[in-house]
Amino acid sequence: MNNTNFYFLKFLFSIYLGSLFVIISGGEVASKTLKIEVTNGVIEPLLIAIPKFINSGNLNALAENFSAVVADDLEGTGLFRSIPLETKISKPMSFDSPIQFSDWKSINAQALILGSVEVSGVNQISVKFRLFDVFSQAPIKGGLKFSGPEKGWRRIAHKVADEVYFRITNERKYFDSRIAFVAEEGPKNNRQKRLVVMDYDGAGQTFLTKKGGSIVLAPRFSPDGTKLLFTSYKSGFPRIYLLDIASRKTVSLHKELGTMSFSPRFSPDGRDVVYSLFKGSNADIYRLNIASNYASRLTSSTAIDTAPSFSPDGKMIVFESDRSGSQQLYLIDSSGGDAKRISLGKGRYGSPVWSPKGDLIAFTKQNNGRFHIGIMRADGSQERLLTASFLDDGATWAPNGRVVMFTRTTPGSGGSSTLYSVDIKGRNLKPVRANSSDPTWSTLLN
Amino acid sequence: MNIFSKMSLILLMFSITSCTENVLSGSEFNTNSTEVNNVNSSNYFIEVVGPSVFFGADDSLLSKEAKDTLMAQVNWLLINKQTTAVIEGHTDEQGTREYNLALGARRAAASRDFLVANGVEDSRLRILTFGKERPAEICSAELCYSKNRRSSTILDR
């Protein structure tokens, strides 16, 4: 292992909310894997030391914040615990200086992230890091270098944390991602709602619709993260809209008079939209091609058919229908055809959403007056409830398919909604943002 | 008032007996709502006929009481032929957001279909769902839920 043999990742920036272009070069280095122990079903978090990234002085505050963001990302998974650093530890003075592993062992660190931040151009920074297994005193894969604008430092921190998470857990990355949701204000009978987009950890919140505007509901990210579908009452009636996040340009998609449309979602290629259209006396599932504005009808029951969601390969759609007499989950071919029921447990099932890996479907279940977020395999088997409360609804998947975020609403006249996340083992349930609802999680940013 | 209007009023009074007894026996509407005695006024529609009908949990079937109110709406709308209306459907907070949007729409459609079946022109009516977004009452108990599961016929101005 040559410690100076970095992968180089160069970021060529387009715009702040736009995507980043990444070039990867450099060779793969043999890895050694630390294990996260699971004992009696309880996860022992891996103890990781993240000393402040070494810096050239004028980036001292940024370096401190940088280490904190990396630590928050890793601790937020419930799989890591960042060790408070004691003064007796000999802090590394330079990125390439030899590591005193005995010091890190003495505070029980199992892993160590050593990093540096430096100015690499006008308003540009570059960040390097190395990851070590303290007990074997060996690096875990090679070093990495990231470059980008200083104002995008949080994204670089998320990328460092993503890489550490991936190297140690072998799970797919998800920290460098965004959440769009509905910010709520005011009493339940006159609640004001606005679309907001933020980093997955709550930083960098940007309002996308005006204060005092129409009711907006249930935004859904496009696969490339640049657009949102949502439902708005702008016309006086619920209709689905497509919003470009960078330009805020918003267009209405299904304009047929006398109809109402809601529950839109993108196809995996981003070209089509599936949604529920209420026409006449009934709601059916429709599929619309954005470029041609051509809509075709996929279901034609006399029941409520709504909340459609594509499988990641685009071949199937899961949706909910009360054709059996109560809300249940069904699969259809993504071009239509016969529906096959997959939810077979007690209670009502709604708001299904297919996982990005394709193996699981998350849903809302109502049973005995309680609400649950649950997951099941795509054939309906192996149902597992992750949460229980007065009202949980509207799951969205993290890009790696290991975590879901949802809305929890409390009862009563003063009740409010909060975004929560939980992992697919039902662990690590935690609030993400108060006075918020209807989260949608983007894919991993480029 | 012509013969036709009088007959309609009699029919209307007959069809909403429980409601009219309560309202017309009180003096408050005579003092607060100057137009309530004008059977063709929108105030009369709001205060006497009643814009709202109520539904059972997760249901869009019209009860006998709901049909009585809607029949009174029919009679008013058949007299006031220039008036158009939006029928809003609502749900209680129990239930998922997306299902409730559809359920509210189905309730509004059930009320509209009743009005149309009894002679109101379809072109005068539009339906709108709010799902659970605009409850009438905001406690988390059946007392409030039963008032939130409703469709309301809102006359256009």
Side-chain angles (χ1 to χ4, degrees):
Chain A
M1 166 72 200
N2 174 357
N3 284 343
T4 58
N5 180 20
F6 296 109
Y7 299 115
F8 284 88
L9 281 83
K10 261 183 196 161
F11 292 172
L12 307 178
F13 260 67
S14 45
I15 44 174
Y16 184 61
L17 287 171
S19 59
L20 300 169
F21 188 66
V22 182
I23 300 165
I24 302 177
S25 63
E28 185 74 19
V29 180
S31 70
K32 176 160 175 42
T33 309
L34 269 178
K35 287 257 163 53
I36 289 171
E37 302 292 339
V38 179
T39 44
N40 299 326
V42 176
I43 287 187
E44 277 307 316
L46 186 138
L47 300 176
I48 189 163
I50 312 173
K52 185 171 79 180
F53 277 39
I54 294 156
N55 63 86
S56 51
N58 55 342
L59 292 175
N60 195 40
L62 190 149
E64 187 122 24
N65 293 335
F66 199 95
S67 306
V69 169
V70 173
D72 284 349
D73 282 348
L74 293 171
E75 289 196 329
T77 65
L79 303 177
F80 295 84
R81 190 182 310 138
S82 166
I83 302 178
L85 299 180
E86 295 171 27
T87 47
K88 64 176 179 174
I89 299 290
S90 58
K91 302 267 169 40
M93 296 307 289
S94 92
F95 187 68
D96 296 316
S97 59
I99 293 156
Q100 300 300 319
F101 283 106
S102 56
D103 280 2
W104 302 105
K105 261 184 197 164
S106 73
I107 58 167
N108 298 316
Q110 295 166 275
L112 166 68
I113 299 174
L114 190 58
S116 72
V117 186
E118 56 197 36
V119 175
S120 60
V122 178
N123 299 322
Q124 297 284 309
I125 56 170
S126 71
V127 173
K128 295 187 284 191
F129 84 93
R130 291 186 286 167
L131 176 64
F132 295 94
D133 179 336
V134 171
F135 285 86
S136 67
Q137 307 196 359
I140 303 171
K141 297 189 183 172
L144 266 183
K145 178 176 166 178
F146 298 84
S147 297
E150 185 178 343
K151 70 175 182 180
W153 68 269
R154 293 188 69 96
R155 284 202 55 195
I156 301 177
H158 292 318
K159 285 188 176 294
V160 168
D162 263 330
E163 186 64 33
V164 171
Y165 173 78
F166 169 69
R167 288 182 181 191
I168 293 180
T169 67
N170 209 31
E171 294 288 349
R172 294 200 281 185
K173 303 166 184 180
Y174 73 97
F175 304 132
D176 186 25
S177 59
R178 288 204 175 89
I179 309 288
F181 63 97
V182 173
E184 302 193 350
E185 200 179 326
K188 270 185 177 175
N189 57 357
N190 188 29
R191 191 147 281 173
Q192 303 302 304
K193 298 194 167 194
R194 297 171 74 188
L195 286 185
V196 185
V197 64
M198 66 183 185
D199 293 353
Y200 102 102
D201 62 353
Q205 296 181 18
T206 307
F207 283 86
L208 300 174
T209 58
K210 288 181 186 129
K211 195 178 175 81
S214 315
I215 298 174
V216 287
L217 302 172
R220 308 292 184 211
F221 265 113
S222 61
D224 67 2
T226 65
K227 296 182 179 70
L228 290 171
L229 289 167
F230 65 104
T231 302
S232 169
Y233 282 72
K234 188 181 174 191
S235 70
F237 296 80
R239 284 225 174 117
I240 58 171
Y241 290 82
L242 175 65
L243 173 134
D244 180 78
I245 295 173
S247 70
R248 310 283 168 84
K249 191 179 164 230
T250 303
V251 293
S252 169
L253 290 180
H254 192 125
K255 300 175 191 170
E256 190 177 356
L257 273 180
T259 67
M260 294 178 279
S261 52
F262 38 87
S263 299
R265 267 186 212 279
F266 282 98
S267 60
D269 64 9
R271 291 176 184 161
D272 291 5
V273 178
V274 279
Y275 55 103
S276 193
L277 182 78
F278 200 96
K279 184 175 179 178
S281 303
N282 178 46
D284 281 309
I285 306 294
Y286 280 67
R287 176 174 182 165
L288 177 141
N289 179 265
I290 295 171
S292 68
N293 209 33
Y294 174 77
S296 57
R297 182 171 166 174
L298 300 186
T299 68
S300 54
S301 75
T302 55
I304 288 172
D305 293 343
T306 190
S309 170
F310 273 96
S311 61
D313 65 6
K315 289 179 180 168
M316 303 291 288
I317 291 169
V318 62
F319 67 101
E320 61 166 90
S321 174
D322 67 351
R323 59 186 67 190
S324 72
S326 72
Q327 276 174 283
Q328 299 295 337
L329 306 185
Y330 293 81
L331 295 184
I332 47 167
D333 189 277
S334 61
S335 57
D338 292 337
K340 178 176 177 278
R341 179 169 163 177
I342 57 166
S343 58
L344 298 166
K346 284 181 183 167
R348 295 161 63 181
Y349 295 77
S351 312
V353 53
W354 218 303
S355 80
K357 283 174 159 176
D359 54 342
L360 298 170
I361 289 169
F363 54 86
T364 302
K365 177 167 176 162
Q366 288 169 259
N367 195 26
N368 292 328
R370 299 280 283 172
F371 279 74
H372 309 270
I373 300 297
I375 53 172
M376 58 173 61
R377 297 200 63 80
D379 62 2
S381 66
Q382 296 179 42
E383 176 179 325
R384 176 193 287 155
L385 300 182
L386 306 179
T387 72
S389 92
F390 167 72
L391 181 48
D392 288 347
D393 188 21
T396 183
W397 288 93
N400 71 349
R402 294 286 303 176
V403 179
V404 293
M405 196 175 289
F406 60 96
T407 309
R408 171 164 290 181
T409 304
T410 51
S413 56
S416 67
S417 295
T418 301
L419 306 185
Y420 272 78
S421 66
V422 66
D423 74 24
I424 58 169
K425 303 294 182 190
R427 297 189 186 103
N428 201 28
L429 175 73
K430 57 180 183 179
V432 175
R433 192 185 191 278
N435 299 315
S436 308
S437 61
D438 295 1
T440 176
W441 208 321
S442 76
T443 50
L444 198 67
L445 302 175
N446 287 321
Chain B
M1 189 180 285
N2 62 30
I3 298 286
F4 180 75
S5 299
K6 280 183 182 165
M7 285 183 66
S8 297
L9 176 59
I10 291 162
L11 273 172
L12 188 144
M13 304 265 284
F14 181 72
S15 64
I16 52 166
T17 44
S18 60
C19 185
T20 49
E21 274 169 15
N22 290 338
V23 173
L24 295 182
S25 62
S27 60
E28 67 207 82
F29 290 106
N30 294 330
T31 53
N32 293 343
S33 305
T34 52
E35 280 201 9
V36 77
N37 288 327
N38 175 358
V39 295
N40 291 342
S41 70
S42 56
N43 277 355
Y44 187 87
F45 185 90
I46 293 164
E47 305 286 359
V48 182
V49 175
S52 298
V53 300
F54 302 93
F55 296 85
D58 190 22
D59 206 343
S60 55
L61 292 176
L62 297 171
S63 65
K64 168 75 168 60
E65 203 178 358
K67 286 178 180 172
D68 288 347
T69 302
L70 290 170
M71 202 61 218
Q73 292 185 5
V74 167
N75 291 329
W76 192 95
L77 288 163
L78 289 179
I79 297 165
N80 297 279
K81 288 188 175 300
Q82 301 308 309
T83 306
T84 58
V86 173
I87 304 171
E88 297 177 358
H90 298 267
T91 71
D92 62 32
E93 68 183 343
Q94 305 171 96
T96 59
R97 192 182 312 287
E98 290 174 323
Y99 179 79
N100 278 355
L101 283 172
L103 179 60
R106 195 153 70 177
R107 285 175 178 158
S111 293
R112 178 209 48 205
D113 292 349
F114 184 92
L115 299 183
V116 170
N118 286 283
V120 180
E121 296 85 346
D122 196 10
S123 59
R124 294 168 59 195
L125 304 172
R126 288 191 72 184
I127 59 167
L128 166 59
T129 177
F130 280 102
K132 56 178 170 180
E133 301 304 314
R134 288 291 178 266
E137 303 288 340
I138 55 174
C139 73
S140 293
E142 181 56 24
L143 177 71
C144 291
Y145 292 162
S146 61
K147 291 172 185 157
N148 293 337
R149 297 188 297 258
R150 68 200 192 276
S151 82
S152 298
T153 305
I154 310 298
L155 303 179
D156 293 325
R157 300 280 169 178

